[in-house]
């Protein structure tokens, strides 16, 4: 609750950077109830240095549908790029997004550490009140609260939370200069 703010509290002019983050799954479509959802989160870094979760567009849809959904959010929020986890599909993730719009910049990120380890730095940012939610995001918030030092204790996959963690990590690293260095390091290897 302490992280919540009104969407009007962060006008577009106060947004330094906006990203759409995607945590893909192998869902064949909305009727594929055995598959995890595709985490799809929009977040921004404000002129105040804090980050804001603006929207949760997570869904269980076929690749063409979630690709269009990510691109729609990219345009709606005038995002800088789409950050997408590449572990589940690699270049197919980029191709899925580019099928909806070949001009959208996509930054692929690779999960080389466990979920709880990736979540820890963002957990610290929440504790320092540097992350805010522009509205209520029930599933995302439930998943974030299910993370402990021992790992993820919730049911199923933390798909919404994974996407939020990717978005917030990208925005905080971009702000402190490590994001661009890490991006070029990964591109050169």
């Amino acid at each position: 609750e302490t992280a919540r703010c009104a969407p009007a509290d962060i006008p577009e002019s106060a947004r330094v950077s906006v990203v759409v983050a995607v945590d893909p799954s192998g869902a064949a479509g909305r009727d594929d109830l055995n598959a995890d959802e595709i985490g799809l989160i929009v977040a921004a870094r404000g002129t105040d240095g804090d980050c804001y979760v603006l929207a949760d567009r997570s869904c269980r849809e076929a690749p063409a549908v979630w690709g269009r959904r990510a691109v729609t959010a990219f345009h709606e929020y005038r995002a800088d790029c789409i950050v997408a986890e590449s572990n589940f599909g690699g270049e197919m993730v980029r191709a899925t997004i580019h099928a909806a719009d070949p001009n959208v910049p996509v930054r692929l990120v690779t999960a080389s550490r466990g979920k709880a380890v990736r979540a820890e730095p963002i957990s610290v940012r929440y504790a320092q009140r540097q992350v805010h939610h522009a509205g209520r995001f029930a599933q995302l918030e439930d998943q974030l609260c299910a993370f402990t030092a021992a790992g993820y204790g919730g049911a199923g996959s933390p798909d919404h939370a994974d996407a939020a963690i990717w978005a917030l990590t990208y925005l905080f690293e971009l702000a402190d200069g490590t994001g661009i260095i890490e991006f070029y390091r990964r591109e050169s290897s």
Side-chain angles (χ1 to χ4, degrees), residues 27-140:
R30 73 178 53 178
D31 297 330
D32 187 0
L33 301 179
N34 292 325
D36 296 327
E37 287 189 71
I38 293 84
L40 210 158
I41 300 291
V42 181
R45 181 141 175 113
T47 53
D48 59 2
D50 289 356
C51 284
Y52 298 84
V53 174
L54 303 176
D56 184 349
R57 302 285 173 83
S58 301
C59 59
R60 182 180 291 110
E61 294 288 357
V65 177
W66 68 252
R68 284 191 305 274
R69 194 174 180 118
V71 167
T72 298
F74 170 86
H75 290 297
E76 178 182 342
Y77 286 90
R78 296 187 179 131
D80 303 317
C81 67
I82 295 177
V83 177
E85 183 179 322
S86 65
N87 290 45
F88 200 89
E91 282 300 316
M92 286 190 299
V93 173
R94 185 189 319 265
T96 298
I97 295 165
H98 280 164
D101 185 339
N103 298 314
V104 170
V106 178
R107 305 287 180 257
L108 295 179
V109 291
T110 304
S112 58
R113 301 177 295 161
K115 292 179 187 303
V117 174
R118 288 194 314 270
E120 283 178 6
I122 298 306
S123 174
V124 170
R125 300 289 189 154
Y126 271 96
Q128 294 171 337
R129 299 194 174 165
Q130 295 176 333
V131 180
H132 312 279
H133 291 191
R136 292 191 177 277
F137 306 109
Q139 284 186 280
L140 168 62

Side-chain angles (χ1 to χ4, degrees), residues 10-44:
I10 42 166
E12 197 168 320
S13 61
R15 299 175 192 172
V16 175
S17 186
V18 178
V19 298
V20 175
V22 179
D23 180 51
S25 79
R30 73 178 53 178
D31 297 330
D32 187 0
L33 301 179
N34 292 325
D36 296 327
E37 287 189 71
I38 293 84
L40 210 158
I41 300 291
V42 181

Side-chain angles (χ1 to χ4, degrees), residues 147-161:
F147 273 100
T148 69
Y152 180 67
S157 172
D159 29 38
H160 299 242

